[in-house]
Each structure stands twice: as structure tokens, then as C-alpha cells.
Amino acid sequence: MKEVSFKTSGTCAQLITFKLDGQIIHDVNFTGGCNGNLKAIAKLCEGMDAKVIISKLKGNICGSKKTSCADQFAKALEQNLAN
């Protein structure tokens, strides 16, 4: 199982940690950001295929920002599936 720490850019959350078992997501944790919303994202993603989550979250924006915590999570997943 691969353990990942991803430093975000352009969001309130500063760090996302998670584990990948192949393409399956486990133990997602956001540091900073909207606590309740990010806990919900983490619960919804538990045990899911990373490619499915990327397709749902990639490109999501927050307010006037060009990204969001969810978009940053999708980017982190993409980077770590490629490696």
C-alpha cells in the first residue's frame, strides 16, 4: 500500500494524505479547509477506485478560485496513479 502526502496549491487545505492500494483509496485526510465538507469527501472516497473519483472531482472550483480541495485531491490521485 502506497502512502501519499500531497501539498495543495490555491486552497484553504494545506495538505492531503491518503493511501492507495493499487487504484483503491483509503484513509483520506485533509489538513485545513472546510472540516465538515472535507470529512464527507474523505468518507465518500473510502474504498473507491481512484479513476472514478478523479472523473468526479477534477475541475471542481471553489468560489472565485481556479481550483478547490476536491480538485487538488483529484490532481494528487492523478500524479500518484502515474507513478
Side-chain angles (χ1 to χ4, degrees), residues 16-21 23-30 36-58 69-77:
I16 306 169
T17 59
F18 58 96
K19 295 177 184 172
L20 281 175
D21 186 2
Q23 289 185 186
I24 305 302
I25 301 166
H26 296 286
D27 301 328
V28 180
N29 186 51
F30 291 82
N37 291 333
L38 296 176
K39 282 181 182 176
I41 289 173
K43 286 182 179 184
L44 290 169
C45 293
E46 180 63 32
M48 297 290 294
D49 186 297
K51 289 185 179 181
V52 171
I53 298 303
I54 291 166
S55 72
K56 293 181 182 292
L57 300 182
K58 186 176 180 180
C69 295
D71 182 55
Q72 290 290 297
F73 183 42
K75 289 178 181 183
L77 290 169

Side-chain angles (χ1 to χ4, degrees), residues 61-66:
I61 60 170
C62 182
S64 62
K65 298 176 184 177
K66 296 181 181 184

